[in-house]
Amino acid sequence: MHKRNIVLFVGIVLGALALLFFNIPIASSQGATLVAARVTEPLPLKDPTAALWQTATPLEVPLSAQAVAAPVLLETNVKAVTARALYNDSQLAILVEWNDTTQNDSMVRVQDFRDAVAVQFPIGDQPLFICMGQVGGNVNIWQWKADWQKDSTAWQDMQTAYPNMNVDQYPFARVAMPAPSEYDDPNYVPAFAANNLFAMPRVSPVENLVAGGYGTLTSQPPAGQIVGGFGAWDNNTWRVIFTRDLATTGADNVSFDPAKLYPIAFAAWDGANGERNGQKSASQWANLQFEGAVAQATQPTSPEVTVTEPAMRIVEPGTPPDTTSTLVVFIILGGLTLLAALVLKARGNWE
Amino acid sequence: MAEVYNWQLGRKMPYPFPEAHPQKQFAAVFNINRCIGCQTCTGACKATWTFSKGQEYMWWNNVESKPYGGYPQQWDIRILEQLDAAQQAAGTTATWDSTVTGDAAPYGAYNGMTIFEAAPQMQNVLGYLPPDTEWRAPNFYEDTSTAYKGDDLGISTEGASLPEHQTWFFYLQRLCNHCTYPGCLAACPRQAIYKRPEDGIVLIDQARCRGYRKCVEACPYKKSMFRGTTRTSEKCVACYPRVEGADPLSDGVPMETRCMAVCPGKIRMNGLVDIAADGSWVENPKHPLYHLVKVEKVALPLYPQFGTEPNIYYIPPRWAPRPYLRQMFGPGVDEAIARYAAPSRELLAVLQLFRATQKMIFRFEIEAGPLVHEVPVNGKPWQMYNDTVIGFDAKDREVARLSVVEPVHERPTARLNSI
Ligand code: SF4
Ligand code: SF4
Ligand code: SF4
């Protein structure tokens, strides 16, 4: 098993480097582009079935089980999501839909996991590793959570999961059946005392996060929770809207200039299958393009040219490399990869 | 994965992080023989740490009646079964190699799989997540013994006698083992769990935890628990303010935890042992825990084969079947019971120190006393001396002084009827 992981890793890195060398951008290896339709009216922030969404072209994004970093669930349930995007002068809204036969919107009992969906954007202009970014290259992640959605209407608590429960008293609380925020002494709800968003009253069903590599995912502080959203489950389908102002401040947020293309990636979790953390379905990078604006900014007469232009080129388009230099480069790449694998092995990350 | 040395297994084993050891390690010895199953320990922890909403099913300390009881139910059988299945799939059987000896392998060498070695592909640890139904009724099967073999009237014709009772149960006192190689920590994909360098206490960072429950799944002792209200996992904090000497009562020196200090059965002794850079215990035969675990070897780790190097040690019950005890405490069981049944002068003195003070004892001294008793034990003569044992705290101040024979105080006639 351990050897196989190294081989897998070496294979993945070699493959990625080969893609790079042959001028295939890793930032958009699918080449798929989600085009945000430009509208003038207010965006349907809480209505996933609004007619306005039909003005946006849907993009089907295939997902597969994350299989690079432990823990891995070999079989995940969400195989694809359908995305649509709208924008106006000030805001962007993304609608993501996927099939899920089970509505998992509670995370109170120990065996309950939630359904969730996330979008990811690199921060800055450099190409980033699809899996949570990398050291020195952060990604901005927005995660919608089914239980947070339900909490927004009514906080789910022990009495929700166990309606027949009975208790004499919860000391140090302001009310008889306290939510974590209703304690006089927050030390008895340490996650709340530590400002962990999971334990705090919901301001949005979407969490705004930043990451720079595996295991580094971090919630932005409460004041930085600037992504709105709404999700509803109907007829075996989740429909989830993410909304955010186009322009933002803060080094950990992607800021949108409609004249540019942005890499975007998707991930989804089926709570019924115990999916959480890296045990999820994830996509490759796609592009997010703002309809109209790109054309105006760069190619007024032929917007379709910019549509096919990948967002993040690693190598400028040029003549293909000749075979001798290809060979040399491959030998160098192979050596580098083995070196990287050995370093990781020595650090104990792989084996 | 890195390679680390696990002295309880007498060998190296894979672990997701390279070896790094604390300067001291939080540890304890529990004398199963003395436990009365009163659950005072359980209540003390509950009343200190887990009385709030979302912690209803949380018992960081629990006492279960073996062999049937378990919290969560059947936790040990379940993980043993999983280990066994992994070993069968690999075509191996787990045995202990007794030819490997020495301080670095006091119980021999374990050649079976640990929970790290038996982990499924692309997972760090083998485990399972018990549902809420299994965390309920934490004292289910309390005092339930194995089947009683009686005559027609239900009365045993032979009675019960050592070394093994035909009908038996015993109490197993459990809390987080503050493991040297914690399974919980190995499984957390975001390093929200850490082991403190000053005392080896294992904590979950409540700011970083995202309620993934990989730790709940991975802890073989099932001592990481989920809190539905905050949607994060919590676990025993080893009463760290007391261990730090920060409790107002502690007089500035490390103090035993709540569950240890309240024990009416006087079964528990808690302390900090010095750890060398290679993870071994720094030789210190006058430290009571070192003495019990390393010199006398009467106290043994719980399920060492899991591979986490747990730091709560148990003096096994004298009356239970040995194969069951060997499965639970490893191959050191027979020697531990033999030494406990006929204790050396020193061991008998050290055993008096249990629950003599709330302060952690870092050193003991023994003042020799007279021979007071001589009886045959297991067919051999055994002598009891009325020695006096003195315990010292972290500042080397005397905090306990006890003689082996408890002094008798006679009530004067005038006070015979007083209450
Ligand atoms: S007993 Fe469990 S929770 Fe405690 S340190 Fe060990 S693995 Fe972690
Ligand atoms: S050490 Fe403290 S926190 Fe841990 S079980 Fe005992 S009383 Fe509870
Ligand atoms: S308080 Fe002591 S005697 Fe009572 S159940 Fe706990 S460990 Fe046993």
Side-chain angles (χ1 to χ4, degrees):
Chain A
M1 156 189 146
H2 300 146
K3 276 224 177 73
R4 221 180 303 151
N5 285 347
I6 292 184
V7 171
L8 184 73
F9 170 72
V10 170
I12 288 168
V13 174
L14 261 184
L17 290 172
L19 288 177
L20 262 181
F21 186 69
F22 288 110
N23 204 6
I24 302 163
I26 50 168
S28 58
S29 58
Q30 299 287 307
T33 298
L34 174 64
V35 181
R38 186 180 168 80
V39 296
T40 48
E41 48 272 75
L43 300 180
L45 303 182
K46 295 200 168 169
D47 185 1
T49 55
L52 203 56
W53 288 111
Q54 299 311 316
T55 61
T57 313
L59 176 71
E60 162 120 350
V61 184
L63 307 187
S64 56
Q66 185 281 125
V68 183
V72 162
L73 203 61
L74 298 172
E75 223 13 79
T76 54
N77 282 353
V78 188
K79 309 292 184 201
V81 296
T82 303
R84 286 179 171 83
L86 296 170
Y87 80 108
N88 60 19
D89 283 344
S90 60
Q91 282 184 308
L92 166 72
I94 300 171
L95 171 67
V96 186
E97 298 172 78
W98 73 100
N99 287 337
D100 185 345
T101 53
T102 50
Q103 182 182 6
N104 305 106
D105 52 7
S106 175
M107 209 172 101
V108 175
R109 300 185 310 165
V110 59
Q111 67 268 40
D112 290 337
F113 295 93
R114 62 164 81 91
D115 294 333
V117 67
V119 292
Q120 169 182 282
F121 304 94
I123 301 170
D125 289 333
Q126 57 164 322
L128 295 181
F129 191 35
I130 181 86
C131 301
M132 318 298 285
Q134 63 216 35
V135 178
N138 286 352
V139 289
N140 185 194
I141 293 172
W142 309 343
Q143 190 193 40
W144 173 91
K145 301 172 184 67
D147 60 328
W148 285 29
Q149 183 68 54
K150 208 169 175 191
D151 286 339
S152 312
T153 324
W155 176 265
Q156 298 177 82
D157 212 307
M158 300 310 283
Q159 65 271 29
T160 332
Y162 305 98
N164 297 323
M165 72 180 281
N166 186 41
V167 69
D168 295 334
Q169 189 205 7
Y170 292 115
F172 308 116
R174 281 193 291 281
V175 294
M177 293 297 269
S181 57
E182 294 172 316
Y183 272 79
D184 284 324
D185 186 342
N187 284 316
Y188 296 99
V189 269
F192 177 82
N195 277 334
N196 187 326
L197 290 178
F198 280 46
M200 296 169 80
R202 305 286 172 239
V203 289
S204 162
V206 177
E207 186 184 12
N208 188 28
L209 300 127
V210 63
Y214 299 126
T216 64
L217 184 66
T218 302
S219 308
Q220 302 209 20
Q225 292 303 316
I226 53 171
V227 185
F230 179 83
W233 187 89
D234 183 41
N235 195 18
N236 296 331
T237 304
W238 275 115
R239 293 187 179 82
V240 172
I241 301 170
F242 296 91
T243 53
R244 218 207 60 191
D245 287 348
L246 288 172
T248 54
T249 52
D252 293 337
N253 293 311
V254 58
S255 195
F256 298 106
D257 169 1
K260 289 188 182 166
L261 278 165
Y262 291 86
I264 181 172
F266 298 83
W269 292 260
D270 182 13
N273 193 30
E275 295 177 23
R276 75 274 198 192
N277 56 58
Q279 302 173 127
K280 66 183 176 190
S281 304
S283 77
Q284 297 297 314
W285 286 115
N287 298 311
L288 172 66
Q289 185 208 335
F290 293 86
E291 180 195 56
V294 176
Q296 284 155 22
T298 56
Q299 298 274 344
T301 51
S302 54
E304 62 283 357
V305 173
T306 54
V307 173
T308 54
E309 182 71 13
M312 294 176 127
R313 288 271 180 192
I314 308 302
V315 182
E316 281 305 312
T319 45
D322 66 62
T323 38
T324 327
S325 63
T326 308
L327 206 65
V328 170
V329 168
F330 258 93
I331 289 166
I332 293 170
L333 289 180
L336 282 175
T337 310
L338 279 174
L339 200 67
L342 285 172
V343 168
L344 282 174
K345 180 180 150 76
R347 288 174 54 196
N349 293 349
W350 293 89
E351 223 186 21
Chain B
M1 287 215 189
E3 286 255 291
V4 297
Y5 190 78
N6 183 326
W7 64 259
Q8 292 176 357
L9 302 184
R11 68 165 169 92
K12 287 188 169 176
M13 61 164 205
Y15 189 70
F17 299 98
E19 246 180 275
H21 296 284
Q23 289 113 43
K24 291 194 190 309
Q25 176 60 54
F26 174 94
V29 168
F30 291 178
N31 184 353
I32 291 179
N33 296 275
R34 298 187 65 155
C35 178
I36 55 173
C38 63
Q39 306 281 4
T40 312
C41 46
T42 311
C45 180
K46 171 85 21 201
T48 310
W49 300 107
T50 63
F51 51 78
S52 298
K53 194 133 167 262
Q55 299 177 311
E56 293 80 0
Y57 287 165
M58 243 185 231
W59 300 91
W60 292 352
N61 181 102
N62 79 289
V63 179
E64 54 203 45
S65 298
K66 287 297 178 198
Y68 302 122
Y71 166 76
Q73 280 157 39
Q74 322 291 346
W75 64 275
D76 49 350
I77 306 298
R78 294 281 303 275
I79 190 72
L80 287 168
E81 256 175 9
Q82 287 194 333
L83 266 183
D84 191 45
Q87 269 153 176
Q88 285 192 22
T92 58
T93 29
T95 53
W96 289 82
D97 181 353
S98 59
T99 62
V100 180
T101 53
D103 284 348
Y107 319 125
Y110 173 67
N111 59 21
M113 281 177 168
T114 65
I115 56 169
F116 307 110
E117 289 152 338
Q121 198 184 348
M122 295 298 278
Q123 296 279 342
N124 284 340
V125 190
L126 177 74
Y128 78 102
L129 187 74
D132 58 352
T133 46
E134 294 175 13
W135 296 95
R136 291 175 190 167
N139 209 10
F140 204 46
Y141 289 115
E142 180 186 16
D143 293 356
T144 304
S145 69
T146 56
Y148 185 74
K149 296 184 188 78
D151 63 10
D152 292 348
L153 292 171
I155 296 167
S156 165
T157 46
E158 290 127 42
S161 60
L162 291 171
E164 270 180 38
H165 290 182
Q166 294 303 307
T167 299
W168 60 276
F169 75 88
F170 64 85
Y171 299 117
L172 186 68
Q173 314 72 24
R174 305 207 304 114
L175 55 120
C176 168
N177 289 287
H178 297 279
C179 305
T180 303
Y181 303 115
C184 57
L185 187 153
C188 179
R190 48 189 286 96
Q191 286 98 56
I193 305 185
Y194 59 105
K195 188 167 173 69
R196 305 207 306 183
E198 64 270 38
D199 50 23
I201 291 174
V202 177
L203 296 175
I204 302 177
D205 181 343
Q206 289 299 309
R208 276 198 69 70
C209 176
R210 289 177 68 79
Y212 293 153
R213 284 155 277 175
K214 289 305 285 183
C215 56
V216 185
E217 195 176 277
C219 169
Y221 303 97
K222 294 293 167 250
K223 282 297 172 186
S224 178
M225 299 165 196
F226 182 63
R227 183 166 179 179
T229 54
T230 59
R231 301 184 203 166
T232 56
S233 299
E234 295 182 352
K235 62 178 285 301
C236 159
V237 294
C239 294
Y240 67 82
R242 291 168 69 98
V243 176
E244 288 168 1
D247 188 286
L249 279 178
S250 70
D251 195 19
V253 288
M255 199 181 184
E256 295 194 325
T257 70
R258 288 281 291 140
C259 59
M260 314 276 177
V262 295
C263 176
K266 301 191 172 195
I267 85 143
R268 298 179 172 218
M269 180 185 278
N270 177 208
L272 292 167
V273 291
D274 288 326
I275 301 296
D278 67 356
S280 63
W281 289 25
V282 175
E283 191 176 351
N284 189 358
K286 293 292 174 198
H287 188 294
L289 296 180
Y290 187 95
H291 189 81
L292 294 164
V293 174
K294 293 289 190 172
V295 179
E296 295 282 353
K297 296 189 193 132
V298 284
L300 303 168
L302 177 63
Y303 292 117
Q305 65 270 44
F306 293 166
T308 64
E309 211 184 283
N311 286 300
I312 309 288
Y313 295 83
Y314 294 82
I315 304 180
R318 294 170 63 184
W319 60 88
R322 301 304 188 262
Y324 185 80
L325 293 180
R326 281 182 214 118
Q327 171 177 267
M328 188 171 269
F329 302 110
V333 159
D334 302 86
E335 190 189 337
I337 292 179
R339 288 193 184 222
Y340 179 69
S344 69
R345 262 180 96 163
E346 240 184 351
L347 174 58
L348 192 61
V350 170
L351 287 170
Q352 310 309 312
L353 285 174
F354 281 64
R355 300 274 31 80
T357 168
Q358 292 207 59
K359 295 197 175 124
M360 284 184 172
I361 297 175
F362 285 77
R363 185 173 75 84
F364 70 85
E365 266 175 23
I366 295 172
E367 285 171 5
L371 176 71
V372 287
H373 203 48
E374 190 156 6
V375 280
V377 175
N378 293 337
K380 285 187 206 141
W382 177 79
Q383 292 89 17
M384 186 167 105
Y385 293 84
N386 189 15
D387 295 335
T388 297
V389 62
I390 308 150
F392 299 86
D393 69 7
K395 292 184 180 161
D396 215 32
R397 298 173 301 193
E398 180 179 325
V399 285
R401 178 179 285 262
L402 294 105
S403 53
V404 167
V405 179
E406 256 186 78
V408 177
H409 301 282
E410 248 176 73
R411 183 177 285 192
T413 327
R415 301 264 175 270
L416 257 189
N417 218 9
S418 326
I419 297 172

